[in-house]
Coordinates of all heavy atoms in Angstrom, one line a residue:
M961 N 0.8 -1.2 0.0 CA 0.0 0.0 0.0 C 0.9 1.2 0.0 O 1.9 1.3 0.6 CB -0.9 -0.1 1.2 CG -1.5 1.2 1.7 SD -2.6 1.1 3.1 CE -1.6 0.4 4.4
N962 N 0.5 2.3 -0.7 CA 1.2 3.5 -0.8 C 0.5 4.6 0.1 O -0.7 4.8 -0.1 CB 1.4 4.0 -2.2 CG 2.3 3.1 -3.0 OD1 3.4 2.8 -2.6 ND2 1.8 2.6 -4.1
I963 N 1.3 5.2 0.9 CA 0.8 6.4 1.7 C 1.8 7.5 1.6 O 3.0 7.2 1.2 CB 0.5 6.0 3.2 CG1 1.8 5.6 3.9 CG2 -0.6 5.0 3.3 CD1 1.6 5.4 5.4
T964 N 1.5 8.7 1.9 CA 2.4 9.8 1.9 C 2.7 10.2 3.4 O 1.8 10.4 4.2 CB 1.8 11.0 1.2 OG1 1.5 10.6 -0.1 CG2 2.8 12.2 1.2
V965 N 4.0 10.1 3.8 CA 4.4 10.5 5.1 C 5.3 11.7 5.0 O 6.4 11.6 4.4 CB 5.1 9.3 5.8 CG1 5.6 9.7 7.2 CG2 4.2 8.1 5.9
N966 N 4.9 12.8 5.6 CA 5.7 14.0 5.6 C 6.1 14.4 4.2 O 7.2 14.8 4.0 CB 6.9 13.9 6.5 CG 6.5 13.8 8.0 OD1 5.4 14.1 8.4 ND2 7.5 13.4 8.8
G967 N 5.1 14.3 3.3 CA 5.3 14.8 1.9 C 6.0 13.8 1.0 O 6.1 14.1 -0.2
K968 N 6.4 12.6 1.5 CA 7.1 11.7 0.6 C 6.2 10.4 0.5 O 5.8 9.8 1.6 CB 8.4 11.3 1.2 CG 9.4 12.5 1.3 CD 10.7 12.1 1.8 CE 11.6 13.3 1.9 NZ 12.9 13.0 2.5
T969 N 6.0 9.9 -0.7 CA 5.2 8.7 -0.9 C 6.1 7.5 -0.5 O 7.3 7.4 -0.8 CB 4.8 8.6 -2.4 OG1 4.0 9.7 -2.7 CG2 4.0 7.3 -2.6
Q970 N 5.5 6.6 0.3 CA 6.1 5.4 0.8 C 5.3 4.2 0.6 O 4.0 4.3 0.6 CB 6.4 5.5 2.3 CG 7.3 6.6 2.7 CD 7.6 6.5 4.2 OE1 7.2 5.6 4.9 NE2 8.3 7.5 4.7
S971 N 5.9 3.1 0.3 CA 5.2 1.9 0.2 C 5.4 1.2 1.6 O 6.5 1.1 2.1 CB 5.8 1.0 -0.9 OG 5.1 -0.3 -0.9
V972 N 4.3 0.9 2.2 CA 4.4 0.2 3.5 C 3.9 -1.2 3.4 O 3.1 -1.6 2.6 CB 3.5 0.9 4.6 CG1 4.1 2.3 4.9 CG2 2.1 1.0 4.2
E973 N 4.6 -2.1 4.2 CA 4.3 -3.5 4.2 C 2.9 -3.8 4.6 O 2.2 -3.0 5.3 CB 5.3 -4.3 5.0 CG 5.7 -3.8 6.3 CD 6.5 -2.5 6.4 OE1 7.3 -2.2 5.6 OE2 6.3 -1.9 7.4
E974 N 2.4 -5.0 4.3 CA 1.1 -5.4 4.6 C 0.7 -5.4 6.1 O -0.4 -5.2 6.4 CB 0.9 -6.9 4.0 CG -0.5 -7.3 3.9 CD -1.3 -6.6 2.9 OE1 -0.8 -6.1 1.9 OE2 -2.6 -6.5 3.0
N975 N 1.7 -5.7 6.9 CA 1.4 -5.8 8.3 C 1.4 -4.4 9.0 O 1.2 -4.3 10.2 CB 2.4 -6.7 9.1 CG 3.9 -6.2 9.0 OD1 4.2 -5.2 8.3 ND2 4.7 -6.8 9.7
C976 N 1.6 -3.3 8.2 CA 1.5 -1.9 8.7 C 0.1 -1.5 8.4 O -0.2 -0.8 7.4 CB 2.6 -1.0 8.1 SG 2.6 0.6 8.8
R977 N -0.8 -1.8 9.3 CA -2.3 -1.6 9.1 C -2.8 -0.3 9.8 O -3.7 0.3 9.3 CB -3.1 -2.8 9.5 CG -2.6 -4.1 9.0 CD -3.4 -4.8 8.0 NE -4.8 -4.5 8.0 CZ -5.6 -4.3 7.0 NH1 -5.0 -4.3 5.8 NH2 -6.9 -4.0 7.1
T978 N -2.3 0.0 10.9 CA -2.8 1.1 11.7 C -1.7 2.2 11.9 O -0.6 2.0 11.7 CB -3.3 0.6 13.1 OG1 -2.2 0.2 13.9 CG2 -4.3 -0.5 13.0
L979 N -2.2 3.4 12.4 CA -1.2 4.4 12.8 C -0.2 3.9 13.8 O 0.9 4.2 13.8 CB -2.0 5.6 13.3 CG -2.5 6.6 12.3 CD1 -3.2 7.7 13.1 CD2 -1.4 7.2 11.5
A980 N -0.7 3.1 14.8 CA 0.2 2.5 15.8 C 1.3 1.7 15.1 O 2.4 1.7 15.6 CB -0.6 1.7 16.8
D981 N 0.9 0.9 14.1 CA 1.9 0.1 13.4 C 2.9 1.0 12.7 O 4.1 0.7 12.8 CB 1.2 -0.8 12.3 CG 0.3 -1.9 12.9 OD1 0.5 -2.2 14.1 OD2 -0.6 -2.3 12.2
L982 N 2.5 2.0 12.1 CA 3.4 3.0 11.5 C 4.4 3.6 12.5 O 5.6 3.7 12.2 CB 2.6 4.1 10.7 CG 3.4 5.1 10.0 CD1 4.2 4.5 8.8 CD2 2.5 6.3 9.5
L983 N 3.8 4.0 13.6 CA 4.7 4.6 14.6 C 5.6 3.6 15.3 O 6.5 4.0 16.0 CB 3.8 5.3 15.7 CG 3.0 6.5 15.1 CD1 2.0 7.0 16.1 CD2 4.0 7.6 14.6
A984 N 5.4 2.3 15.2 CA 6.2 1.3 15.8 C 7.4 1.0 14.9 O 8.4 0.3 15.3 CB 5.4 0.0 16.0
R985 N 7.4 1.5 13.7 CA 8.6 1.3 12.8 C 9.8 2.0 13.4 O 9.7 3.0 14.1 CB 8.3 1.9 11.4 CG 7.1 1.2 10.7 CD 6.8 1.9 9.4 NE 7.6 1.4 8.4 CZ 7.6 1.7 7.1 NH1 6.7 2.6 6.7 NH2 8.4 1.3 6.2
P986 N 11.0 1.5 13.1 CA 12.2 1.9 13.7 C 12.4 3.4 13.7 O 12.9 4.0 14.6 CB 13.3 1.2 13.0 CG 12.7 0.0 12.5 CD 11.3 0.4 12.2
E987 N 12.1 4.1 12.6 CA 12.3 5.5 12.4 C 11.5 6.4 13.3 O 11.8 7.6 13.6 CB 12.2 6.0 11.0 CG 10.9 5.8 10.3 CD 10.8 4.5 9.6 OE1 11.3 3.4 10.0 OE2 10.1 4.5 8.5
W988 N 10.4 5.8 13.9 CA 9.5 6.6 14.8 C 9.4 6.0 16.2 O 8.8 6.7 17.0 CB 8.1 6.7 14.1 CG 8.1 7.4 12.8 CD1 8.0 6.8 11.6 CD2 8.4 8.8 12.6 NE1 8.1 7.8 10.6 CE2 8.4 9.0 11.2 CE3 8.6 9.8 13.5 CZ2 8.6 10.3 10.7 CZ3 8.8 11.1 12.9 CH2 8.8 11.3 11.6
A989 N 9.8 4.8 16.4 CA 9.6 4.1 17.6 C 10.3 4.9 18.8 O 11.4 5.4 18.7 CB 10.2 2.7 17.6
G990 N 9.5 5.1 19.8 CA 10.0 5.7 21.0 C 10.0 7.3 21.0 O 10.4 7.9 21.9
K991 N 9.6 7.8 19.8 CA 9.6 9.3 19.7 C 8.2 9.8 20.1 O 7.2 9.2 19.8 CB 9.9 9.7 18.3 CG 11.3 9.4 17.9 CD 11.6 9.9 16.5 CE 13.1 9.6 16.2 NZ 13.4 10.0 14.9
L992 N 8.2 11.0 20.7 CA 7.0 11.7 21.0 C 6.5 12.5 19.8 O 7.3 13.3 19.3 CB 7.2 12.7 22.2 CG 6.0 13.5 22.6 CD1 4.8 12.6 23.0 CD2 6.4 14.4 23.7
V993 N 5.4 12.1 19.2 CA 5.0 12.7 17.9 C 3.5 13.2 18.0 O 2.7 12.7 18.8 CB 5.1 11.7 16.7 CG1 6.5 11.3 16.5 CG2 4.2 10.5 16.9
I994 N 3.3 14.2 17.2 CA 1.9 14.6 16.9 C 1.6 14.1 15.5 O 2.4 14.2 14.6 CB 1.8 16.2 16.9 CG1 2.3 16.7 18.3 CG2 0.4 16.6 16.5 CD1 1.4 17.5 19.1
V995 N 0.4 13.5 15.4 CA 0.0 12.9 14.1 C -1.2 13.6 13.5 O -2.2 13.9 14.2 CB -0.4 11.4 14.3 CG1 -0.8 10.7 13.0 CG2 0.8 10.7 15.0
E996 N -1.0 13.9 12.2 CA -2.1 14.4 11.4 C -2.4 13.4 10.3 O -1.5 13.1 9.6 CB -1.8 15.8 10.9 CG -2.9 16.5 10.1 CD -2.4 17.8 9.5 OE1 -2.4 18.8 10.3 OE2 -2.0 17.8 8.3
L997 N -3.6 13.0 10.2 CA -4.0 12.1 9.1 C -5.0 12.7 8.2 O -6.1 13.1 8.7 CB -4.6 10.8 9.7 CG -5.1 9.8 8.7 CD1 -4.0 9.2 7.8 CD2 -5.8 8.6 9.4
N998 N -4.7 12.9 6.9 CA -5.5 13.5 6.0 C -6.1 14.9 6.4 O -7.3 15.2 6.3 CB -6.7 12.6 5.6 CG -6.1 11.3 4.9 OD1 -5.2 11.3 4.2 ND2 -6.7 10.2 5.3
G999 N -5.2 15.7 7.1 CA -5.6 17.0 7.5 C -6.3 17.1 8.9 O -6.6 18.2 9.3
E1000 N -6.5 16.0 9.5 CA -7.1 16.0 10.9 C -6.2 15.4 11.9 O -5.5 14.4 11.7 CB -8.4 15.0 10.8 CG -9.4 15.5 9.8 CD -10.2 16.7 10.3 OE1 -10.4 16.9 11.5 OE2 -10.6 17.5 9.4
L1001 N -6.1 16.1 13.1 CA -5.3 15.5 14.2 C -5.8 14.2 14.6 O -7.0 14.0 14.7 CB -5.3 16.5 15.4 CG -4.5 17.8 15.2 CD1 -4.7 18.7 16.4 CD2 -3.1 17.5 14.9
A1002 N -4.9 13.3 14.9 CA -5.3 12.0 15.4 C -4.6 11.8 16.8 O -3.4 11.6 16.9 CB -4.8 10.9 14.4
G1003 N -5.4 11.8 17.8 CA -5.0 11.7 19.2 C -4.3 10.3 19.5 O -4.7 9.3 18.8
R1004 N -3.4 10.3 20.4 CA -2.7 9.1 20.7 C -3.6 7.9 21.1 O -3.4 6.7 20.7 CB -1.7 9.3 21.9 CG -1.0 8.1 22.4 CD -0.1 8.4 23.5 NE 1.1 9.0 22.9 CZ 2.1 9.4 23.6 NH1 2.1 9.4 24.9 NH2 3.2 9.9 23.0
E1005 N -4.7 8.2 21.8 CA -5.6 7.1 22.2 C -6.3 6.4 21.0 O -6.8 5.4 21.1 CB -6.7 7.6 23.1 CG -7.7 8.6 22.5 CD -7.1 10.1 22.4 OE1 -6.0 10.4 22.9 OE2 -7.8 10.9 21.8
M1006 N -6.2 7.1 19.8 CA -6.9 6.5 18.6 C -5.9 5.8 17.7 O -6.4 5.2 16.7 CB -7.5 7.7 17.8 CG -8.6 8.4 18.6 SD -9.2 10.0 17.9 CE -9.1 9.7 16.1
H1007 N -4.6 5.9 17.9 CA -3.6 5.3 17.0 C -3.8 3.9 16.6 O -3.6 3.4 15.5 CB -2.2 5.6 17.5 CG -1.8 7.0 17.5 ND1 -0.6 7.4 18.0 CD2 -2.5 8.1 17.1 CE1 -0.5 8.7 17.9 NE2 -1.6 9.2 17.3
G1008 N -4.2 3.1 17.6 CA -4.4 1.6 17.4 C -5.7 1.3 16.6 O -5.8 0.2 16.1
D1009 N -6.6 2.3 16.6 CA -7.9 2.0 16.0 C -8.0 2.6 14.6 O -8.9 2.2 13.8 CB -9.0 2.7 16.8 CG -9.2 2.1 18.2 OD1 -8.9 0.9 18.4 OD2 -9.5 2.9 19.1
I1010 N -7.1 3.5 14.2 CA -7.2 4.1 12.9 C -6.5 3.2 11.9 O -5.2 3.0 11.9 CB -6.6 5.5 12.9 CG1 -7.4 6.4 13.8 CG2 -6.6 6.1 11.5 CD1 -6.9 7.8 14.0
V1011 N -7.2 2.7 10.9 CA -6.6 1.8 9.9 C -6.2 2.7 8.7 O -7.0 3.5 8.2 CB -7.7 0.8 9.4 CG1 -7.1 -0.1 8.3 CG2 -8.1 -0.1 10.6
L1012 N -5.0 2.5 8.3 CA -4.4 3.2 7.1 C -5.0 2.6 5.8 O -5.2 1.4 5.7 CB -2.9 3.1 7.1 CG -2.2 3.7 8.3 CD1 -0.7 3.3 8.3 CD2 -2.3 5.2 8.3
T1013 N -5.2 3.5 4.9 CA -5.7 3.0 3.6 C -4.9 3.7 2.5 O -4.2 4.6 2.7 CB -7.2 3.4 3.3 OG1 -7.3 4.8 3.4 CG2 -8.1 2.7 4.4
E1014 N -4.9 3.1 1.3 CA -4.2 3.5 0.1 C -4.4 5.0 -0.1 O -5.5 5.5 -0.1 CB -4.7 2.8 -1.1 CG -4.0 3.1 -2.4 CD -2.6 2.6 -2.5 OE1 -2.3 1.5 -1.9 OE2 -1.7 3.2 -3.2
G1015 N -3.3 5.8 -0.2 CA -3.4 7.2 -0.5 C -3.5 8.1 0.7 O -3.5 9.3 0.5
D1016 N -3.5 7.5 1.9 CA -3.6 8.4 3.1 C -2.4 9.3 3.1 O -1.3 9.0 2.7 CB -3.6 7.5 4.4 CG -5.0 7.1 4.7 OD1 -6.0 7.6 4.2 OD2 -5.1 6.2 5.6
R1017 N -2.6 10.5 3.7 CA -1.5 11.5 3.9 C -1.3 11.7 5.4 O -2.2 12.1 6.1 CB -1.9 12.9 3.3 CG -2.0 12.8 1.8 CD -2.5 14.2 1.2 NE -4.0 14.3 1.6 CZ -4.4 15.2 2.4 NH1 -3.7 16.0 3.1 NH2 -5.7 15.2 2.7
V1018 N -0.1 11.3 5.9 CA 0.2 11.3 7.3 C 1.3 12.4 7.5 O 2.3 12.3 6.8 CB 0.7 9.9 7.8 CG1 1.0 10.0 9.2 CG2 -0.3 8.9 7.5
E1019 N 1.1 13.3 8.4 CA 2.2 14.2 8.8 C 2.5 13.8 10.3 O 1.7 13.8 11.1 CB 1.7 15.6 8.7 CG 1.4 16.1 7.3 CD 2.6 16.2 6.5 OE1 3.7 16.5 7.0 OE2 2.5 16.0 5.3
L1020 N 3.8 13.6 10.5 CA 4.3 13.3 11.8 C 5.3 14.4 12.2 O 6.3 14.6 11.5 CB 5.1 11.9 11.8 CG 4.2 10.7 11.3 CD1 5.1 9.5 11.1 CD2 3.1 10.5 12.2
V1021 N 5.0 15.0 13.3 CA 5.9 16.0 13.9 C 6.4 15.5 15.2 O 5.7 15.2 16.1 CB 5.1 17.4 14.1 CG1 6.0 18.4 14.7 CG2 4.5 17.8 12.8
H1022 N 7.8 15.5 15.3 CA 8.3 15.0 16.6 C 9.2 16.1 17.2 O 9.6 17.1 16.5 CB 9.2 13.8 16.4 CG 10.4 14.0 15.5 ND1 11.6 14.2 16.1 CD2 10.6 13.9 14.2 CE1 12.5 14.3 15.1 NE2 11.9 14.2 13.9
F1023 N 9.3 16.0 18.5 CA 10.0 17.1 19.3 C 11.4 16.7 19.4 O 11.8 15.5 19.6 CB 9.3 17.2 20.6 CG 7.9 17.7 20.5 CD1 6.8 16.8 20.4 CD2 7.6 19.0 20.4 CE1 5.5 17.2 20.3 CE2 6.3 19.4 20.2 CZ 5.2 18.5 20.2
V1024 N 12.3 17.7 19.3 CA 13.7 17.5 19.5 C 14.2 18.4 20.6 O 13.8 19.6 20.6 CB 14.4 17.8 18.2 CG1 15.9 17.7 18.4 CG2 13.9 17.0 17.0
G1025 N 14.9 17.9 21.6 CA 15.4 18.7 22.7 C 16.6 19.5 22.2 O 17.3 19.2 21.2
G1026 N 16.9 20.5 22.9 CA 18.0 21.4 22.6 C 18.0 22.6 23.5 O 17.1 22.8 24.3
G1027 N 18.9 23.4 23.2 CA 19.0 24.6 24.1 C 19.6 25.8 23.5 O 20.0 25.9 22.4

């Protein structure tokens, strides 16, 4: 399935079905992120329930510490 993550089209594997699955991938695992799916904010409590579909647009914003 193809989805767009942060403006880049990606092919995700069949077992990446939900937002929670996407966020469990190594590049996002353990990071505090804000998720927007197709222009709507998706709260953390919903990540396991939201099923990704072909063509979805996901924006992931993560926080970086610094000073």
